[in-house]
Amino acid sequence: MTSSSQAHTGQTPAPSAEAEALHRALFTLDSHIDIPWPDRGDAFEDTDARRVDLPKMQKGGMSAGCFVAYIAQAKVDAEGHAQAQAQCLAMLDVINSMQGSQNGVTARVCSTVVEIEAAYKAGVMAVIPAVENGYAMGDDPAVLAQFRAKGARYVTLTHNGHNALADAAVHRPSLGDKPENHGGLSALGREAVRHMNRLGLLIDVSHASKKTMLQAVAASAVPVVASHSCVRTLCDHPRNLDDEQLDALKASGGVIQITAMPAFLKPRDGEAPRSAGVADFVDHIDYVVRRIGVEHVGISSDFDGGGALADWQNATQGVNLTAELLRRGYDRSEIAAFWGGNFMRLLGQAEAVAEQTGTIG
């Protein structure tokens, strides 16, 4: 691996034959992909309306993806909780329908490491359900078992706006938020973390406030993941993790999955339109590697949730990322760790803790 970035030329070289071959040979997992809602029934169609569908994943040599039931933050009350829970369960049902064979593509919904590995060995794409925003749980941690029963592997504690579990990195005064409502995790949030540990659900700290994130690291029996975040030292955005948070991830064994959101990757250049490319993305990987090590960083796109780079526009172009990692001097084992190995390790740890309590789904 290298310890320094190459100068950015603004021009993306075509991937080498070596990069193409390596990308096709690796297990490649994108840890955060949104689904359209309401559902359009087009997961098996190659459509311009989606940055990620199953044909694009196949064309792009992608092995697996975490598809999230994203629930926007609304009022923290009984009505809001009921609506969020109903929508989340419906979205998880749609994600669970993304399997079988259509249009020359075969996919399988997988909820354990063994199932994901079996799908990969069989040459079948793995669809991994997840939940974005603990608001969908409402004020009842028992609901988390329903999410796990539908295959979910992580729950993002918050989105933009505080909920009953925790404070978010971005508060919403329009929803009545103070800068902090709980001072990090609420008592309910701590209870939810314990339930998630028992169920094999990873705690996702993307979107969480710094206090929430650090408290979640301390409260969880399993290392946490930031499923789609970037480095605050390189881009000062409240959604990004600073050095203290990265160090906490290292100490606990957690992982930050760098994401393809230009606003999190590069500061705005005056009034120019915001843009970024895979070189900027890999700058963030480089930083995490230098700060806390290869085993603590991975890859996510946030496609269909706002993510897109000039040279990673959709699921067909992941090879450009592999090519840039090779150009930076990373070897096959390191690139494999970024593209899924580190995230899979956390899934396995979550399962091990859940199995100790006899509650793994």
Side-chain angles (χ1 to χ4, degrees), residues 110-115 144-145 147-154 194-202 222 346-361:
C110 300
S111 64
T112 66
V113 168
V114 167
E115 290 173 359
L144 294 168
F147 298 162
R148 184 69 189 97
K150 293 181 183 290
R153 288 313 316 264
Y154 68 73
R194 291 191 292 271
H195 274 258
M196 290 166 67
N197 286 166
R198 287 194 291 267
L199 291 164
L201 285 162
L202 286 174
V222 177
L346 289 197
L347 290 182
Q349 289 178 270
E351 290 174 20
V353 169
E355 285 166 359
Q356 291 170 10
T357 64
T359 57
I360 185 68

Side-chain angles (χ1 to χ4, degrees), residues 95-310:
I95 295 168
N96 273 271
S97 74
M98 293 169 59
Q99 59 184 325
S101 297
Q102 296 181 41
N103 300 330
V105 178
T106 301
R108 186 184 301 166
V109 174
C110 300
S111 64
T112 66
V113 168
V114 167
E115 290 173 359
I116 297 166
E117 290 175 342
Y120 178 61
K121 186 175 181 180
V124 174
M125 279 179 291
V127 171
I128 305 162
V131 173
E132 184 173 18
N133 197 355
Y135 179 56
M137 187 202 87
D139 58 6
D140 183 6
V143 173
L144 294 168
Q146 296 181 54
F147 298 162
R148 184 69 189 97
K150 293 181 183 290
R153 288 313 316 264
Y154 68 73
V155 176
T156 317
L157 290 174
T158 69
H159 194 254
N160 296 331
H162 309 322
N163 58 31
L165 281 68
D167 292 332
V170 177
H171 71 291
R172 300 273 301 279
S174 62
L175 294 175
D177 288 353
K178 302 172 184 175
E180 290 185 348
N181 282 5
H182 307 291
L185 284 173
S186 68
L188 177 68
R190 292 177 185 277
E191 185 181 357
V193 167
R194 291 191 292 271
H195 274 258
M196 290 166 67
N197 286 166
R198 287 194 291 267
L199 291 164
L201 285 162
L202 286 174
I203 288 88
D204 177 16
V205 296
S206 288
H207 285 285
S209 73
K210 180 175 179 176
K211 286 183 180 178
T212 295
M213 181 270 178
L214 293 174
Q215 291 170 16
V217 168
S220 178
V222 177
V224 305
V225 66
S227 74
H228 59 305
S229 294
C230 296
V231 173
R232 192 152 189 176
T233 299
L234 299 183
C235 184
D236 189 12
H237 191 289
R239 272 277 283 105
N240 288 343
L241 304 191
D242 66 18
D243 285 352
E244 183 181 1
Q245 292 171 288
L246 293 177
D247 292 346
L249 275 185
K250 178 179 182 177
S252 68
V255 177
I256 176 173
Q257 301 284 116
I258 303 302
T259 200
M261 186 73 75
F264 303 161
L265 289 169
K266 282 178 66 178
R268 183 184 291 277
D269 183 11
E271 297 302 313
R274 202 185 286 274
S275 66
V278 295
D280 302 297
F281 188 105
V282 177
D283 283 348
H284 286 246
I285 290 180
D286 281 348
Y287 186 93
V288 178
V289 168
R290 290 194 301 268
R291 180 85 193 185
I292 62 174
V294 166
E295 64 269 34
H296 299 290
V297 62
I299 293 169
S300 69
S301 67
D302 205 2
F303 282 152
D304 296 318
L309 303 179

Side-chain angles (χ1 to χ4, degrees), residues 321-344:
L321 203 50
T322 300
E324 181 65 19
L325 289 164
L326 276 174
R327 281 193 288 271
R328 301 286 178 104
Y330 290 105
D331 64 27
R332 180 190 179 109
S333 67
E334 292 167 331
I335 297 171
F338 302 150
W339 261 125
N342 292 334
F343 185 81
M344 290 284 282

Side-chain angles (χ1 to χ4, degrees), residues 69-112:
Y70 157 64
I71 305 298
Q73 187 60 44
K75 289 189 69 174
V76 180
D77 58 19
E79 181 181 3
H81 288 161
Q83 291 177 352
Q85 179 183 339
Q87 181 180 325
C88 184
L89 293 171
M91 294 179 85
L92 288 171
D93 285 341
V94 166
I95 295 168
N96 273 271
S97 74
M98 293 169 59
Q99 59 184 325
S101 297
Q102 296 181 41
N103 300 330
V105 178
T106 301
R108 186 184 301 166
V109 174
C110 300
S111 64
T112 66

